[in-house]
Amino acid sequence: MAPQATQREFSRRGLLGSAVAVAAAAAAGTLGGGTAFAVSGGPSAPAGGRTQPAPLWREFTAAPFTHPQIPFIGRAGYRAGSALPRPRTGHGFTADVLHYGARPDNSADAAPAINRAIAAAGERGGGTVIVPEGTYRIDDIIRIGHSNVVVRGAGSGRTTLIATKNLTELIGAYGSRYGGDKSSWSWAGGLIWLCPEARWASLTDAIKAQAWPFEGWTGNKRDEWRTLTTVAPARLGDRTITVDDTRKLKRGALVLLRLADDSAHTLLEHMAGGGAGPEAYYWDDKTKLTSYVPYEWPVRITAVHGRRVTLERPLPLDVRPEWDPRLTTLAAPLTGSGVEGLTLEAVETPQSPHLLDKGYNGVAFQCAYDCWADDVTVRHVDNGFGLIGASACTLRRTKVAGRGSHHPYYCREGSHDNLIEDFTIEQRTVPAPSGTQLHGINVEGLSSHNVWSRGVMEMGTFDSHRGMPFANVRTDITVNNNGRHGGDASAGPLFGARFTHWNIRVTNGRAGLMRIDGLAPYSATVGVSEVTEFDQIDVPDFTGDLHTRLEAYGAPESVRPANLHDAQRALGR
């Protein structure tokens, strides 16, 4: 809470904490005589097969917005955790791609027709593009560049798009802004690409000119923003902040909170939890990491009263004067758009050597806010579902299948508050070629407050590519942990503070970023299967006490609540 908070605000926080605790007890099944959920035994289950809520969960409910090890992620995803929009008939503009010339028999390129239908919906302020049951050949990118446009197939088992070309063929080679011979199509772009039209044009123009861009909300050189107002000091978890000037702010507007690091790197230290370990860490040679700062966090304004501004989500970090805090403009966002009910299948080619992907990529969300994918499968892709400078998006009932992927899911370039739930990574259908890499569910580049929930990973791992992601949660996931994490040394720490793994069932007993109490500062590992190290053994980035928590180790079936995200949503926020 901001230093100038009134006694009334402190009282409100106390009342909220009490209400949250009551709701948490109800969600965990412990109200009314201390009754609890029944489970089928397990090493830490009490006699009678009944368990109590995890001690860490009870502790969290007393301070849900400021807990030192567990982040508040109850408002992750589309519209602060709201249900995805239901299909409506007879309302708004609808475009059937068959009426625009698409043929559902794989006999001709349907991409021009699909993109014409998308453009028609966009020109009318939004609408639904229907892709009926069938198989459609696409020789180009399907681009969703207007807000409030939904591309809807008949279901992932009924509507299939067959992609014949890769992004290198369609746009050109994409080198890395950090040098070397790497292909940035290894972590960017999609054959279905949701990105604001103007931002997509600026990105692809830069790629064609070999002026490798930054990919986030403030332009290719991160300089396309204007200050709206400066921000007074505030605390992690606050939802109401005080600003200098509200004349350029209004309810419903999407703004960017911008925090710049100082010469002593106290912002990076704060992201790591602070204290002796982060203070002793040498930051100056972590040039890739420092290129990610300023930290940019998109958020919607829900109310403006005098100089007080209420935000859609609680602050992810403290706001301190030394970090030059301000609300700024951002790229015109893509909002309210989605892709549903289809399979995107690339022509089957061998997986490329590591970091040399050609760009047979699945679905990419870029500079997108309040967007979604639902019931979407990608097959034979280099990279599956990407979040690149994307926030507040929901990926629901998604699946990566086929010959094997480099990054089945990746979350990078300052992506925040996204929700990936009910997801599946299927076992590869062909052996991995020599020289390739498999990661899994990736997060990097100061990305924060993202959630992976209710997943089945038949292959892959919990990947961090360094860049100090912080305050992310993986919960209620079964994983055959056979992948490896990546990350350059210049990208800095594997983890920042408040990283949580909760109820993780590791079927092959292999460690590798599953149990993180020895690696991630101020983290929580709750209900992870017993694991043992293999050849990729990591050491902590920070010295001294990591201030980590470990509970129910070896007994994921005993953990209550079983799903940390569902339980936080049930608190009522």
Side-chain angles (χ1 to χ4, degrees), residues 56 64 116 127 173 287 297 300 303 566:
L56 254 175
R116 283 196 298 269
T287 53
W297 183 61
R300 200 178 298 279
D566 288 348

Side-chain angles (χ1 to χ4, degrees), residues 10-58:
F10 279 105
S11 299
R12 179 181 180 276
R13 174 63 65 86
L15 290 170
L16 177 60
S18 300
V20 164
V22 172
T30 57
L31 287 180
T35 58
F37 283 73
V39 298
S40 55
S44 63
R50 300 172 73 81
T51 63
Q52 296 293 328
L56 254 175
W57 171 250
R58 294 197 299 268

Side-chain angles (χ1 to χ4, degrees), residues 182-195:
K182 301 173 184 177
S183 168
S184 286
W185 296 131
S186 301
W187 54 75
L191 293 167
I192 299 177
W193 201 334
L194 294 89
C195 181

Side-chain angles (χ1 to χ4, degrees), residues 30-379:
T30 57
L31 287 180
T35 58
F37 283 73
V39 298
S40 55
S44 63
R50 300 172 73 81
T51 63
Q52 296 293 328
L56 254 175
W57 171 250
R58 294 197 299 268
E59 183 182 290
F60 170 81
T61 61
F65 305 118
T66 58
H67 192 275
Q69 280 87 19
I70 300 175
F72 179 76
I73 41 81
R75 297 178 72 84
Y78 170 83
R79 291 286 178 185
S82 300
L84 297 180
R86 292 185 176 181
R88 298 191 301 169
T89 58
H91 298 277
F93 177 78
T94 301
D96 187 320
V97 300
L98 300 183
H99 298 160
Y100 288 78
R103 297 175 63 174
D105 58 3
N106 198 28
S107 63
D109 180 15
I114 296 172
N115 283 327
R116 283 196 298 269
I118 291 171
E123 290 164 1
R124 290 164 174 79
T128 303
V129 175
I130 302 297
V131 189
E133 183 173 359
T135 301
Y136 301 81
R137 194 185 94 207
I138 58 169
D139 300 339
D140 202 352
I141 301 163
I142 302 303
R143 295 199 296 113
I144 303 174
H146 292 87
S147 293
N148 304 312
V149 173
V150 180
V151 175
R152 179 174 297 136
S156 60
R158 298 171 63 192
T159 295
T160 300
L161 309 184
I162 303 292
T164 64
K165 296 183 179 180
N166 58 57
L167 295 170
T168 301
E169 295 173 287
L170 295 170
I171 295 174
Y174 187 4
S176 169
R177 67 178 183 256
Y178 300 105
D181 60 356
K182 301 173 184 177
S183 168
S184 286
W185 296 131
S186 301
W187 54 75
L191 293 167
I192 299 177
W193 201 334
L194 294 89
C195 181
E197 195 170 54
R199 189 72 184 99
W200 190 87
S202 69
L203 285 164
T204 54
D205 285 349
I207 293 166
K208 292 172 184 176
Q210 299 187 6
W212 314 130
F214 282 91
E215 300 157 282
W217 287 100
T218 51
N220 296 346
K221 297 182 179 180
R222 298 193 71 180
D223 59 358
E224 298 173 18
W225 55 273
R226 292 178 292 103
T227 298
L228 299 172
T229 185
T230 55
V231 182
R235 297 293 301 275
L236 164 73
D238 287 351
R239 280 190 61 199
T240 297
I241 59 176
T242 300
V243 301
D244 181 61
D245 186 353
T246 60
R247 288 176 296 176
K248 297 178 182 178
L249 307 179
K250 63 180 180 179
R251 182 173 179 243
L254 188 64
V255 297
L256 200 68
L257 173 65
R258 187 178 189 274
L259 300 177
D261 204 7
D262 58 11
S263 60
H265 299 297
T266 59
L267 176 58
L268 289 173
E269 291 174 1
H270 177 56
M271 291 174 178
E279 289 172 5
Y281 187 80
Y282 189 71
W283 302 95
D284 286 337
D285 63 349
K286 309 303 186 297
T287 53
K288 190 171 184 178
L289 173 64
T290 54
S291 77
Y292 298 143
V293 186
Y295 176 77
E296 296 171 340
W297 183 61
V299 66
R300 200 178 298 279
I301 293 172
T302 59
V304 178
H305 295 293
R307 293 173 54 213
R308 304 284 285 167
V309 176
T310 302
L311 307 175
E312 185 174 34
R313 292 176 170 84
L315 287 176
L317 295 164
D318 287 354
V319 172
R320 300 179 186 172
E322 55 265 36
W323 302 330
D324 190 25
R326 57 187 67 213
L327 299 182
T328 76
T329 60
L330 65 167
L334 185 75
T335 63
S337 294
V339 56
E340 304 175 348
L342 57 81
T343 292
L344 172 65
E345 181 174 318
V347 294
E348 186 171 357
T349 59
Q351 186 177 345
S352 296
H354 190 220
L355 300 176
L356 297 178
D357 295 348
K358 296 179 176 67
Y360 288 107
N361 293 349
V363 183
F365 293 79
Q366 189 157 9
C367 297
Y369 193 97
D370 284 339
C371 293
W372 70 90
D374 186 22
D375 184 26
V376 175
T377 296
V378 297
R379 183 174 287 115

